[in-house]
Amino acid sequence: MEASTNIQAMLSDGFIFVPNYQRAYSWDQEKQVAVFLSDIEQYVQSKSKSKYYFGHFLFEKVGEKKYGVVDGQQRLTTIVIFLSALYKQLKGIRDLTEEEEFEYSSMIRLASRYRFSTVDYDNQLFKEYVIDRTKKDKIGLKTESEKRIVAAYDFFSSKLSQKSEEELLALYSAVKSASCSTYMVENESDAIQMFIFQNNRGKKPTNLEIVKAQFMFNVHLYGGEETDNLLSDIKYRFENIYRSISRIERKIDEDDILVYTQRVFFNNLNEGNALAKVDEELAKESRIEFIKGFTQGLSSSFNYLEQFFTEDYDKNYNIHSAISLRSHYDILMPYVIKAYSFGLDRETIGTLCNSLETLFLRQLVIRRSAIMSYRLNGVFQRFTGNIEETVDLINWMKNPNDWWFQYWDDAQFDEALNGWIEERTAKFLLWKYENYLLDGGKGGYDFIRFDSIPEKHLEHIAPQTKTNDEPVSAGYCEYDEEFRNSFLNCMGNYLLLSAPHNESIGNKPFELKRSTYTQLLQQREIQDMTPDIIWDKDKIALRQKNIKEFIKSIY
């Protein structure tokens, strides 16, 4: 490839692929993909005489006319998706010219050979949905990267379908002739050095990507006779890691998993700066053994958490609940990784999650500044699969005789439940209460999923802003100082509604609001409590008592 070239020449020069140990497609349709198209449209409209510039691409040459893209793969993948969608639209208007057919074969597909391929686990979808158009449905998409590929193609197809032939040709010309620069390296070590160099020049890869590059670079320097085998192992494990990321990335951050792995690997809940710790270990003579062990630990962590956030999240109420609370992942996830590593079954892991959740919830309600990881670190370090010591300590912490642990005791929890509770925590507790009502207090496993309630809103039954009518005539009590301070913002006056439902009733009179309370059981509970069509301090106090007793019974 020429150092200074254009998109058509770059794509035509050989066959480009994304190595499996690289990140899969990660551009979001509403953000980067939309900006990609908007920028090109603005360039065309500007009628600029200079060529559009697509930036710099870094490749590793791995064979005759075969190149692995090291840097720039997100842009390059998007360019190929865009050109494929544009060709489809153009073919729908008329037959391609001989020149356009030639350019298609040189940039997109030459007979049975594809000019560009993404990571293996997404590539079949890429070929069938983007290039060949043999798959036109969205059934069976397993990874987030597959979903992004489909979303990008559909976005481009939708936007391009609204354009004339002249507009399509202008966009096509702008993209294929856009200038770019390339840098080719002959071996992997040089490619990794370039990645690290570009990172130091202001690029922002994830910490996980930096660690991968550092590991591979150190193996090249110090691996000796093991170099090839070690590199093969790292690539294989990162292929598994990125496959897991593509399935759970919307649920947990990859750099956080890096830290959780660090805490498990060094058996310390108070480990924090992953990059600094990795640098420290790579400076030691034992660096190669560290790379072997830590890479294996990373791969295992991602595999365990993929199962935790998918299959086990769906099948175990306690796991579903702990994930939905989204609190203290810095403690929960290292425990979960350890639990899987010692072979604990789903039910036992669920019991452990439930025990930890009781402490996390108390912290959210009481809102103390004490650092929980310090208090749990000892039992975490001794944890080798038996959850009893951790469960016993948490139960003791609810009624301790040691000031070091008294931040989350029963007395403070009871008092805090009478006051204001942060909105997301209140929504979570009302979801738990709904499942309690649904289950009749039996503790079964049929439950409403937390994510099944659309756009959860926290409704104030007695509205924060008074109705246009007098409160009493509207079915509420007077908004006196006591009501505002003790009744308006408490669990007894909160109700879980979908966003459209909440927005439709606003601060209307109670009778009108009450008539719409027909969805969840807690809504019907309000109807049962108010045959007199009045919602006042007494009703709020009664409901507050019922919810509080429920919360205390499970936490």
Side-chain angles (χ1 to χ4, degrees):
M1 291 184 184
E2 297 292 332
S4 180
T5 184
N6 60 46
I7 294 300
Q8 181 179 349
M10 182 176 70
L11 287 171
S12 302
D13 194 42
F15 299 91
I16 300 171
F17 70 98
V18 179
N20 286 338
Y21 61 88
Q22 298 279 26
R23 174 178 305 283
Y25 190 58
S26 63
W27 272 22
D28 186 89
Q29 177 253 301
E30 295 181 358
K31 297 177 183 177
Q32 295 98 333
V33 175
V35 171
F36 175 95
L37 178 58
S38 175
D39 286 349
I40 297 170
E41 289 175 328
Q42 289 178 23
Y43 165 80
V44 170
Q45 292 167 6
S46 72
K47 301 187 184 302
S48 173
K49 294 182 179 180
S50 61
K51 290 185 176 181
Y52 189 75
Y53 181 59
F54 263 123
H56 184 72
F57 297 89
L58 173 63
F59 296 97
E60 177 195 358
K61 187 174 182 180
V62 295
E64 185 62 31
K65 296 295 183 179
K66 189 173 182 181
Y67 311 102
V69 56
V70 177
D71 187 54
Q73 61 127 321
Q74 303 295 334
R75 280 172 288 138
L76 192 50
T77 306
T78 307
I79 289 168
V80 174
I81 295 172
F82 174 80
L83 286 172
S84 298
L86 194 147
Y87 273 118
K88 172 181 171 288
Q89 294 301 322
L90 202 54
K91 287 178 182 178
I93 297 173
R94 58 164 174 76
D95 291 337
L96 297 183
T97 65
E98 186 175 334
E99 181 181 2
E100 289 163 351
E101 289 281 7
F102 172 79
E103 290 170 346
Y104 177 85
S105 66
S106 66
M107 290 192 288
I108 305 297
R109 181 181 172 185
L110 176 62
S112 62
R113 298 192 67 184
Y114 299 83
R115 290 291 186 177
F116 175 85
S117 58
T118 186
V119 292
D120 284 348
Y121 50 88
D122 287 344
N123 198 47
Q124 190 65 31
L125 176 279
F126 191 85
K127 290 190 295 185
E128 292 178 351
Y129 198 92
V130 174
I131 309 297
D132 297 339
R133 293 302 294 157
T134 54
K135 177 179 174 63
K136 299 180 182 180
D137 61 70
K138 303 173 188 178
I139 298 171
L141 303 181
K142 296 179 180 179
T143 66
E144 291 297 327
S145 45
E146 281 186 331
K147 295 173 186 176
R148 290 194 180 104
I149 289 168
V150 167
Y153 183 87
D154 288 350
F155 173 80
F156 288 141
S157 293
S158 174
K159 296 296 183 181
L160 294 175
S161 68
Q162 302 167 25
K163 297 186 180 298
S164 66
E165 179 182 351
E166 182 182 2
E167 290 172 320
L168 291 174
L169 291 174
L171 291 170
Y172 176 58
S173 177
V175 171
K176 73 174 182 178
S177 61
S179 64
C180 59
S181 58
T182 67
Y183 189 87
M184 188 69 59
V185 292
E186 295 291 334
N187 60 68
E188 195 169 59
S189 178
D190 290 343
I192 296 165
Q193 289 186 73
M194 284 295 298
F195 175 87
I196 295 172
F197 171 76
Q198 290 187 345
N199 170 51
N200 290 336
R201 291 294 295 266
K203 297 226 174 181
K204 295 295 180 183
T206 66
N207 289 345
L208 183 68
E209 290 174 308
I210 294 171
V211 166
K212 178 189 71 175
Q214 288 177 316
F215 282 2
M216 294 177 73
F217 185 57
N218 273 266
V219 166
H220 275 290
L221 290 179
Y222 304 107
E225 294 180 355
E226 292 186 273
T227 296
D228 289 342
N229 288 336
L230 287 171
L231 288 174
S232 178
D233 185 62
I234 292 172
K235 292 175 184 178
Y236 170 76
R237 296 194 186 282
F238 269 91
E239 178 182 345
N240 288 335
I241 286 169
Y242 284 126
R243 185 180 287 110
S244 292
I245 288 173
S246 69
R247 291 170 181 156
I248 62 174
E249 61 181 304
R250 293 184 186 271
K251 298 168 184 172
I252 188 168
D253 183 83
E254 67 187 64
D255 284 345
D256 289 337
I257 299 179
L258 174 64
V259 174
Y260 305 149
T261 302
Q262 175 192 0
R263 292 179 176 180
V264 172
F265 189 84
F266 294 103
N267 203 24
N268 184 355
L269 283 176
N270 298 307
E271 289 284 343
N273 190 326
L275 292 184
K277 189 70 174 181
V278 166
D279 285 343
E280 178 185 330
E281 294 298 316
L282 292 179
K284 298 177 180 178
E285 291 291 330
S286 57
R287 61 178 67 84
I288 295 298
E289 291 306 310
F290 167 70
I291 290 171
K292 289 180 185 178
F294 197 78
T295 306
Q296 182 175 358
L298 266 175
S299 181
S300 296
S301 293
F302 277 92
N303 286 338
Y304 295 148
L305 292 181
E306 180 185 345
Q307 179 175 340
F308 185 68
F309 277 95
T310 53
E311 182 179 352
D312 292 346
Y313 171 75
D314 290 334
K315 294 184 177 179
N316 184 281
Y317 180 66
N318 288 327
I319 290 174
H320 185 100
S321 181
I323 290 174
S324 300
L325 182 61
R326 293 196 65 83
S327 175
H328 287 82
Y329 275 13
D330 58 328
I331 296 172
L332 177 65
M333 297 308 162
Y335 254 111
V336 166
I337 292 168
K338 264 197 170 187
Y340 280 110
S341 72
F342 289 114
L344 271 62
D345 60 65
R346 181 186 297 144
E347 295 305 313
T348 305
I349 292 174
T351 301
L352 174 64
C353 288
N354 178 252
S355 181
L356 289 164
E357 182 189 309
T358 63
L359 199 59
F360 302 158
L361 190 281
R362 286 185 176 223
Q363 170 68 11
L364 290 172
V365 172
I366 298 170
R367 303 192 303 278
R368 298 297 296 268
S369 59
I371 301 175
M372 197 178 291
S373 61
Y374 290 167
R375 276 78 175 176
L376 292 174
N377 200 36
V379 291
F380 173 79
Q381 290 174 328
R382 294 189 292 274
F383 177 61
T384 57
N386 187 336
I387 70 172
E388 283 189 21
E389 185 182 9
T390 297
V391 173
D392 288 345
L393 175 63
I394 290 172
N395 288 335
W396 177 81
M397 287 170 71
K398 297 174 184 177
N399 277 292
N401 54 14
D402 185 337
W403 68 269
W404 178 247
F405 293 91
Q406 284 179 341
Y407 295 97
W408 307 283
D409 63 17
D410 285 344
Q412 295 190 71
F413 187 49
D414 183 86
E415 181 181 353
L417 284 171
N418 292 323
W420 175 82
I421 294 177
E422 187 270 331
E423 182 176 332
R424 194 184 188 285
T425 305
K427 290 178 185 178
F428 174 83
L429 288 171
L430 287 175
W431 167 72
K432 298 280 281 193
Y433 186 57
E434 181 67 27
N435 278 307
Y436 166 77
L437 295 175
L438 178 69
D439 193 47
K442 298 174 185 176
Y445 290 96
D446 292 330
F447 61 94
I448 296 175
R449 291 169 56 99
F450 186 74
D451 51 12
S452 69
I453 303 173
E455 299 180 82
K456 292 172 284 293
H457 271 208
L458 196 63
E459 149 84 338
H460 285 71
I461 303 172
Q464 292 175 288
T465 303
K466 292 191 294 184
T467 65
N468 294 329
D469 302 323
E470 286 298 316
V472 174
S473 63
Y476 308 110
C477 59
E478 291 290 349
Y479 276 50
D480 56 24
E481 186 175 354
E482 180 190 36
F483 179 77
R484 291 186 179 279
N485 291 339
S486 303
F487 291 88
L488 185 59
N489 293 298
C490 72
M491 291 297 297
N493 192 45
Y494 293 158
L495 192 61
L496 199 59
L497 298 180
S498 67
H501 187 175
N502 189 34
E503 291 163 359
S504 70
I505 57 178
N507 63 342
K508 302 256 180 15
F510 178 64
E511 182 177 9
L512 189 152
K513 295 175 75 170
R514 179 182 180 273
S515 68
T516 70
Y517 293 162
T518 59
Q519 304 299 316
L520 300 176
L521 288 180
Q522 60 188 277
Q523 296 174 22
R524 297 175 208 168
E525 181 186 49
I526 303 300
Q527 289 194 342
D528 294 340
M529 290 177 62
T530 56
D532 55 356
I533 323 295
I534 294 174
W535 187 251
D536 56 14
K537 294 177 183 177
D538 290 341
K539 305 285 176 49
I540 295 174
L542 175 59
R543 187 162 182 268
Q544 173 78 5
K545 176 176 176 291
N546 292 340
I547 295 176
K548 182 177 175 181
E549 286 178 353
F550 158 71
I551 294 172
K552 290 170 64 177
S553 73
I554 63 171
Y555 289 112

